[in-house]
Amino acid sequence: MIIIGEKINGSIPAVKEAIEKRDAAFIADRAVKQTVAGAHFIDVCASTAPEFEIETLKWLMKVVQDATDTPLCIDSPNPRVIEAVFKYANKPGMLNSISEEGDKCEILLPLMEGNTWEVVGLTCDNNGIPNDVETKVAITRTMVEKAAHYGITPDRIHIDPCVMALSTENNSLLNFTQEIRAIKEMYPTIHVTGAISNISFGLPVRSLLNKTGMAFAIQAGMDSAVLDPLNREMMGTIFATYALMGQDRHCRKYSKAYRAGQIGPAAK
């Protein structure tokens, strides 16, 4: 499972305060802890007023890169912001994100030509997030074909089928797993990602739904996720699911994660 650490986002109150105070130590600590916990990418999202977003994102990128070698996932709903800060990345990472909404593909995909950058692709367009599997698959196909024009192969793309809240869509997870399977069948090397915690929005005991939903999604083929790597229960679910599916030879990764303190009871 490719883990995209989600804990440096200005929408989180503590991070918002750290950004406002330019508390580099707080941001650096979050970056290091996510790396130690197993994050493969550190998502950096300013979530601030548009006029301050570029400056804030540049600052976040510098702080994180000074603290850890883990590649960045540069995150903004505005592709022009990502384009503006792209050159400040020390090494190839991930762009978050393209979609068929507006000109996101046209702005961001050229940045990935001739290098090893990866990208998140959301299955939405100018009409919003579709409810049917067929439209999401069609949007995926369009993005993959556009990426191919820049030499970007499917294995550099992380498709997010945009899981809907179970509280508003009773078949949300069933549709999500169907979308994962359909996308993987069409492009076997593509990654499927997402924020599985969206599934539990508005419901009690969210962690229970999130962990169970993750197990179902992994079984369907999800191999990338935007989550909190410090959430030991979720990380434990991920390692346990791969082991139970027979995809962890002799449970070596599961056992290694336990010995490293990533899963199981936290050390006192």
Side-chain angles (χ1 to χ4, degrees):
M1 173 69 71
I2 299 168
I3 305 297
I4 305 166
E6 67 178 4
K7 299 299 287 181
I8 300 178
N9 189 311
S11 65
I12 301 171
V15 176
K16 179 181 179 181
E17 182 179 356
I19 289 173
E20 291 171 348
K21 294 180 178 179
R22 288 298 190 263
D23 187 348
F26 178 90
I27 300 298
D29 181 65
R30 284 210 160 194
V32 171
K33 284 180 177 176
Q34 289 184 94
T35 295
V36 172
H40 300 93
F41 295 89
I42 302 294
D43 191 85
V44 285
C45 183
S47 292
T48 188
E51 61 268 30
F52 303 122
E53 189 176 9
I54 291 176
E55 176 191 353
T56 302
L57 202 46
K58 283 171 57 179
W59 178 75
L60 286 173
M61 291 171 64
K62 183 180 187 309
V63 172
V64 172
Q65 290 181 127
D66 285 347
T68 177
D69 289 332
T70 303
L72 298 175
C73 176
I74 306 174
D75 189 351
S76 173
N78 185 346
R80 290 298 182 189
V81 170
I82 297 176
E83 181 185 41
V85 302
F86 177 78
K87 62 185 177 182
Y88 297 104
N90 293 341
K91 64 170 68 175
M94 184 180 294
L95 305 181
N96 191 4
S97 57
I98 59 170
S99 69
E100 277 302 283
E101 179 184 15
D103 55 359
K104 291 184 177 182
C105 284
E106 288 68 27
I107 294 172
L108 296 182
L109 290 177
L111 299 178
M112 300 174 60
E113 187 172 16
N115 54 49
T116 59
W117 277 83
E118 300 180 29
V119 67
V120 174
L122 306 179
T123 56
C124 57
D125 57 19
N126 291 322
N127 296 314
I129 301 174
N131 290 320
D132 62 292
V133 175
E134 292 75 18
T135 303
K136 289 186 177 182
V137 171
I139 291 173
T140 297
R141 182 184 299 110
T142 300
M143 289 191 290
V144 171
E145 290 175 352
K146 287 183 177 181
H149 288 301
Y150 299 96
I152 303 165
T153 50
D155 60 300
R156 292 170 59 192
I157 303 172
H158 297 245
I159 293 295
D160 182 351
C162 302
V163 64
M164 308 301 289
L166 190 63
S167 58
T168 59
E169 172 54 63
N170 197 56
N171 292 325
S172 175
L173 186 65
L174 297 177
N175 292 340
F176 187 60
T177 55
Q178 187 178 349
E179 290 152 10
I180 294 171
R181 291 188 176 98
I183 291 168
K184 281 285 194 177
E185 181 178 0
M186 188 165 54
Y187 301 108
T189 62
I190 208 167
H191 300 291
V192 179
T193 194
I196 198 69
S197 60
N198 291 344
I199 196 78
S200 64
F201 184 79
L203 293 170
V205 199
R206 293 188 65 183
S207 63
L208 181 59
L209 291 167
N210 295 344
K211 289 183 295 183
T212 307
M214 177 62 80
F216 274 94
I218 292 173
Q219 197 277 332
M222 184 176 177
D223 62 350
S224 170
V226 182
L227 53 79
D228 175 9
L230 301 178
N231 185 329
R232 300 173 66 83
E233 291 189 354
M234 178 59 82
M235 293 297 285
T237 296
I238 292 171
F239 281 106
T241 301
Y242 280 110
L244 290 166
M245 288 174 57
Q247 295 185 17
D248 180 5
R249 185 172 176 81
H250 301 308
C251 300
R252 288 171 181 164
K253 293 180 180 178
Y254 179 87
S255 299
K256 182 179 179 181
Y258 174 74
R259 290 194 299 270
Q262 290 179 279
I263 63 175
K268 294 182 181 180

